[in-house]
Amino acid sequence: MMEFVTLNNGVKMPQIGYGVYQMPPVETERAVNDALSAGYRLIDTAAAYMNEEGVGAAIKKSGIAREELFVTTKLWVQDISYEAAGTAFERSLQKLGLDYLDLYLIHQPMGDFFGAWRWLEELHRAGKIRAIGVSNFYPAVLANFCETVEIKPMVNQVELHPFFQQEAALATMKEYGVVPQAWGPLAEGKHGIFTHPVLTKIGEKYRKTAAQVALRWNTQRGVSILPKSVRAERIAVNLDIWDFALNEAEMAEIAKLDLGHSEIVNH
């Protein structure tokens, strides 16, 4: 079973995907193969991860029909300009071995990101990208961006997990019809998330792990999530979150875990 979120242009995106951040190229193909075998259909990579070829190789070998897959990659900082975006996009497409992308994101609000966005809009209109979006855009930047551009971003991929919940950012995204997508939904393993007493206690009731509770909590906030693991059994477990739902009291209990800041990165 897979839940989907509908983007502001009508495209349906799986609510849970598999991320390959910090994954060595040699390991990427095997891990993506495990993820596809487990049932993931959204695969998220980036030019900066240096492993687009591994993702492409796994997709090719999987034999899964292209239209069943949702592939995301991102435009890295040195290519964030109107002049460089088109070439960078073609390079990523070539490495992935694909003839179109499902989602292309501007990785950071740096450089001439308005210029780069104009290229993305053109590629989107030409049918080379089904959806376009941004990553790591904080609320004020996102609001200014949405008020300025012709086509509003469909997705904003940011850090979202029980210890950094970003409610204000979610409210801004909702206002502009931008779907929030979580990188690091398991806080990159920090804060003892896998054995956290609050998450573990809630999980016992549903026979779920603390990690599954954290992932389910985010999906119930309307967030798309990208959990990452290199272990096949953990990859499969992270996907198994659709057969239970947290109640309001449990959602409120998890809300109390918010530290209000990131301990992973300071942009």
Side-chain angles (χ1 to χ4, degrees), residues 48-248:
Y49 301 170
M50 307 286 197
N51 56 19
E52 289 169 315
E53 290 101 331
V55 171
I59 287 170
K60 194 175 180 183
K61 283 184 187 164
S62 73
I64 297 165
R66 174 67 184 95
E67 60 273 14
E68 280 183 40
L69 297 171
F70 195 99
V71 184
T72 304
T73 192
K74 310 179 193 81
L75 181 69
W76 188 234
V77 175
Q78 78 272 8
D79 297 315
I80 298 177
S81 69
Y82 184 79
E83 294 72 29
T87 313
F89 168 77
E90 290 299 341
R91 198 184 309 127
S92 283
L93 213 53
Q94 203 172 355
K95 287 181 177 180
L96 288 160
L98 303 175
D99 49 15
Y100 71 90
L101 273 181
D102 297 282
L103 179 62
Y104 197 40
L105 305 178
I106 290 181
H107 208 144
Q108 305 271 7
M110 295 170 82
D112 177 18
F113 59 91
F114 283 99
W117 188 256
R118 286 205 308 280
W119 244 115
L120 267 61
E121 289 176 330
E122 287 172 28
L123 289 164
H124 176 58
R125 287 191 197 97
K128 297 287 279 180
I129 314 171
R130 293 175 67 219
I132 51 179
V134 295
S135 180
N136 301 306
F137 275 44
Y138 285 112
V141 178
L142 184 72
N144 178 49
F145 192 71
C146 288
E147 293 288 352
T148 311
V149 296
E150 205 171 319
I151 300 174
K152 286 187 179 61
M154 288 131 207
V155 172
N156 184 18
Q157 189 182 115
V158 296
E159 180 186 349
L160 294 166
H161 51 73
F163 310 102
F164 189 38
Q165 302 185 9
Q166 298 220 61
E167 286 295 342
L170 293 190
T172 303
M173 289 185 229
K174 191 172 185 180
E175 192 181 327
Y176 288 104
V178 180
V179 169
Q181 187 171 61
W183 64 255
L186 296 172
E188 295 191 347
K190 292 178 168 58
H191 311 285
I193 190 167
F194 299 119
T195 52
H196 194 281
V198 171
L199 302 172
T200 302
K201 187 167 181 286
I202 293 170
E204 280 165 5
K205 175 180 158 187
Y206 300 104
R207 296 186 176 169
K208 295 290 177 182
T209 65
Q212 286 170 311
V213 170
L215 295 175
R216 184 65 180 132
W217 163 82
N218 238 337
T219 66
Q220 285 183 221
R221 301 196 303 156
V223 173
S224 164
I225 52 173
L226 300 168
K228 180 206 141 190
S229 174
V230 293
R231 287 166 40 199
E233 66 277 15
R234 185 74 66 76
I235 288 169
V237 165
N238 287 343
L239 196 58
D240 185 23
I241 59 166
W242 304 116
D243 58 352
F244 76 109
L246 305 173
N247 62 36
E248 274 180 44

